[in-house]
Amino acid sequence: NAGVTQTPKFRILKIGQSMTLQCAQDMNHNYMYWYRQDPGMGLKLIYYSVGAGITDKGEVPNGYNVSRSTTEDFPLRLELAAPSQTSVYFCAVGYADTQYFGPGTRLTVL
Amino acid sequence: AQSVTQPDIHITVSEGASLELRCNYSYGATPYLFWYVQSPGQGLQLLLKYFSGDTLVQGIKGFEAEFKRSQSSFNLRKPSVHWSDAAEYFCAVGAPGGGFKTIFGAGTRLFVKA
């Protein structure tokens, strides 16, 4: 039982490149979230999903896209990477009483 | 709109001393309140939560928090701090409906000195 897994752990991108951050869960939970954490800041919600095929924007969705074709997976796509997207990205699973967080992906855009 | 303020960017306490981390929130209804801890290089772990009922809630690792509606506060406390408590602590407010969006404070980094 792995809980919430994220890949990769680290990545360096050049400006304009694209990539997909992977998030997978084995908790069979409908609710999944993507957050970003900038230095000295709390987490900001990028996108969330309340079930397969249903996604919606959070506080800071610009520059990102998501899809949710299965309950288990919730990938986050960066199409044209910009330095402002340098951050640590966390995926989370859960609703109301508890959210379980993955270990994070540290992304640097140069 | 919901918001969370953690007035202290960092706090240093001696091992064995008591701890209080401050959190103030803004929310139009009865809030869902949380405290999370983040160790370096790790994800967030839930310490405790308040939804309703007893305003003093107990969490893991010996932490507790008290909800004070009149002060819009949800301060985290621990009677005796251990060196392993050094971490970053985040207060959060949850908004039910839709995807249950959670708003996080900026965090307070706790340093523990011997």
Side-chain angles (χ1 to χ4, degrees):
Chain A
N1 187 341
V4 183
T5 58
Q6 292 184 240
T7 55
K9 291 185 179 180
F10 304 94
R11 184 72 184 268
I12 299 175
L13 284 182
K14 294 182 179 178
I15 295 172
Q17 288 185 318
S18 62
M19 77 165 293
T20 299
L21 283 66
Q22 302 290 346
C23 175
Q25 55 126 342
D26 61 4
M27 307 171 77
N28 199 33
H29 210 291
N30 284 327
Y31 291 81
M32 296 186 74
Y33 309 81
W34 274 106
Y35 295 91
R36 60 178 286 172
Q37 183 180 29
D38 299 323
M41 306 289 288
L43 279 68
K44 301 290 187 183
L45 181 64
I46 306 172
Y47 270 95
Y48 67 96
S49 170
V50 300
I54 306 171
T55 63
D56 206 349
K57 297 177 181 179
E59 295 177 82
V60 290
N62 292 343
Y64 307 94
N65 281 298
V66 294
S67 59
R68 184 94 181 272
S69 56
T70 67
T71 299
E72 293 77 20
D73 301 296
F74 188 39
L76 177 72
R77 178 87 177 158
L78 283 71
E79 291 293 350
L80 291 170
S84 61
Q85 294 177 304
T86 294
S87 190
V88 181
Y89 292 83
F90 289 100
C91 177
V93 170
Y95 179 84
D97 56 347
T98 302
Q99 288 190 16
Y100 298 93
F101 285 81
T105 294
R106 184 174 295 275
L107 176 67
T108 302
V109 182
L110 300 175
Chain B
Q2 306 97 13
S3 66
V4 178
T5 301
Q6 294 181 247
D8 304 304
I9 296 174
H10 55 79
I11 282 182
T12 300
V13 299
S14 298
E15 191 170 17
S18 63
L19 170 69
E20 182 169 30
L21 302 181
R22 296 183 291 164
C23 172
N24 293 98
Y25 67 89
S26 173
Y27 186 64
T30 300
Y32 291 60
L33 295 164
F34 307 85
W35 275 100
Y36 286 87
V37 61
Q38 184 181 33
S39 298
Q42 303 294 314
L44 276 69
Q45 180 184 21
L46 181 68
L47 282 177
L48 48 78
K49 59 197 177 191
Y50 171 80
F51 288 172
S52 64
D54 193 344
T55 56
L56 183 64
V57 294
Q58 303 296 320
I60 62 171
K61 304 184 180 187
F63 285 92
E64 67 178 26
E66 186 170 13
F67 170 58
K68 293 186 177 180
R69 183 187 302 276
S70 61
Q71 298 177 19
S72 297
S73 69
F74 189 57
N75 294 349
L76 182 72
R77 300 194 293 248
K78 186 170 185 178
S80 178
V81 168
H82 188 262
W83 64 267
S84 61
D85 293 324
E88 186 134 25
Y89 292 81
F90 293 95
C91 181
V93 60
F100 193 87
K101 303 178 188 65
T102 304
I103 306 298
F104 289 83
T108 297
R109 180 164 294 279
L110 173 65
F111 297 95
V112 180
K113 60 183 180 181

